[in-house]
């Protein structure tokens, strides 16, 4: 278990992670306005553990971005900003996220929780430091949730310095390779990347390997025909 010292001056202006039983934490901002917790379970507030589970990285070093992007770290689950990571679409980001409330009852997710509980997390996730000095998951969202629900208290990950645009491209590249992600979701991510970051179809095709400029243009034409868009969303038709 991780030793936790008393709350000190260095945590006074640090957003606190609000842990709810079996639910995704929310982040309380320094001005006092906090986002609602995922459930009405009792909330326990505590400062983040000061050091990673492997003893390599301190929380102060994390906030100062003194880490090696080539290394894998076993970070305390409290360092993960689950609320920020769960956002599907904001003004800047295009991450494709299944909310915890949807995932938690799926057989695949339950199996992943049990596997991590028994064998540990085998594949590292990918995170970056957000504006609160906590970690935002850019790849490995289900692994992060399953690691939390497993009770192990740690998350295996690499920490990368990425802009919103770089993180969005990396997330898109990975999601385009996912066989379990519906075609509609993939196209919607491409659409948002084009709109939010003003990226041309040619650039998106080159940086993700998803076809060509004309192919992307043809695929995204479905969003101009509501009936076709809805049919693809309901998996009644396919872009192929």
């Amino acid at each position: 278990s991780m030793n936790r010292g008393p709350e000190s001056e260095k945590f006074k202006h640090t957003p606190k992670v609000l842990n709810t039983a079996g639910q995704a934490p929310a982040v309380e901002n320094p001005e006092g306005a906090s986002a609602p917790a995922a459930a009405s379970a009792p909330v326990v507030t505590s400062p983040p553990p000061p050091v990673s589970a492997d003893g390599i990285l301190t929380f102060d070093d994390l906030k100062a971005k003194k880490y090696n992007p080539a290394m894998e770290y076993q970070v305390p689950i409290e360092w993960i900003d689950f609320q920020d990571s769960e956002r599907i679409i904001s003004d800047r980001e295009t991450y494709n996220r299944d909310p915890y409330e949807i995932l938690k009852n799926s057989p695949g997710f339950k199996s992943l929780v049990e596997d991590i509980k028994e064998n540990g997390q085998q594949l590292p996730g990918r995170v970056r430091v957000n504006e609160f000095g906590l970690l935002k998951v850019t790849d490995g969202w289900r692994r992060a949730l399953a690691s939390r629900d497993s009770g192990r208290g740690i998350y295996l990950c690499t920490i990368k310095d990425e802009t919103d645009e770089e993180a969005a491209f990396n997330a898109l590249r990975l999601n385009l390779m996912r066989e379990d992600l519906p075609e509609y979701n993939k196209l919607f991510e491409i659409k948002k990347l084009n709109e939010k970051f003003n990226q041309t179809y040619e650039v998106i095709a080159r940086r993700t390997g998803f076809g060509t400029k004309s192919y992307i243009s043809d695929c995204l034409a479905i969003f101009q025909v509501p009936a076709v868009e809805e049919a693809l969303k309901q998996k009644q038709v396919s872009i192929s």
Side-chain angles (χ1 to χ4, degrees):
S1 60
M2 187 68 60
N3 294 322
R4 303 187 185 184
E7 186 164 0
S8 60
E9 284 292 320
K10 68 181 178 181
F11 290 116
K12 283 191 175 180
H13 301 292
T14 300
K16 298 175 181 178
V17 179
L18 306 182
N19 295 299
T20 60
Q23 300 294 334
V27 173
E28 180 183 52
N29 71 37
E31 286 69 38
S34 60
S40 57
V43 175
V44 178
T45 304
S46 62
V51 126
S52 60
D54 46 29
I56 299 175
L57 185 68
T58 70
F59 188 64
D60 284 342
D61 284 343
L62 176 71
K63 292 189 294 181
K65 297 190 175 183
K66 296 179 180 179
Y67 44 76
N68 184 344
M71 287 190 65
E72 294 180 1
Y73 295 98
Q74 297 182 46
V75 302
I77 208 72
E78 292 91 340
W79 290 12
I80 304 295
D81 188 338
F82 283 91
Q83 178 179 320
D84 195 20
S85 299
E86 190 175 62
R87 293 175 183 171
I88 300 176
I89 296 293
S90 71
D91 289 339
R92 296 176 298 167
E93 296 158 300
T94 60
Y95 302 122
N96 200 309
R97 292 286 184 261
D98 291 324
Y100 176 70
E101 289 302 314
I102 292 177
L103 281 175
K104 68 178 183 180
N105 293 320
S106 68
F109 180 73
K110 290 180 178 179
S111 176
L112 180 59
V113 171
E114 291 304 312
D115 182 59
I116 291 178
K117 187 182 297 184
E118 182 176 346
N119 304 306
Q121 181 189 341
Q122 303 298 312
L123 185 65
R126 183 186 182 106
V127 300
R128 62 184 178 129
V129 180
N130 69 6
E131 60 189 303
F132 302 110
L134 297 172
L135 295 174
K136 182 182 181 76
V137 179
T138 56
D139 175 48
W141 170 238
R142 296 188 185 204
R143 276 165 274 157
L145 290 173
S147 294
R148 185 194 64 200
D149 284 11
S150 74
R152 292 176 63 89
I154 57 175
Y155 182 56
L156 179 65
C157 62
T158 57
I159 307 173
K160 306 292 185 180
D161 291 323
E162 298 175 317
T163 64
D164 288 338
E165 181 179 310
E166 289 169 339
F169 264 110
N170 285 329
L172 177 58
R173 272 194 294 268
L174 292 166
N175 280 332
L176 288 175
M177 293 187 291
R178 286 178 53 188
E179 295 182 359
D180 64 318
L181 191 66
E183 290 179 322
Y184 177 85
N185 298 62
K186 294 178 180 180
L187 293 184
F188 189 70
E189 276 202 61
I190 293 174
K191 178 175 181 289
K192 300 308 292 188
L193 192 62
N194 165 251
E195 294 174 350
K196 296 299 181 182
F197 295 105
N198 297 316
Q199 293 293 332
T200 65
Y201 296 159
E202 183 177 4
V203 170
I204 293 173
R206 184 176 70 250
R207 293 183 64 177
T208 64
F210 187 74
T212 62
K213 171 185 174 181
S214 58
Y215 178 70
I216 291 177
S217 178
D218 290 344
C219 288
L220 295 191
I222 66 155
F223 293 105
Q224 300 173 19
V225 186
V228 177
E229 177 185 353
E230 183 62 23
L232 182 64
K233 190 174 184 179
Q234 299 301 324
K235 302 179 182 179
Q236 297 170 346
V237 297
S238 170
I239 59 174
S240 59

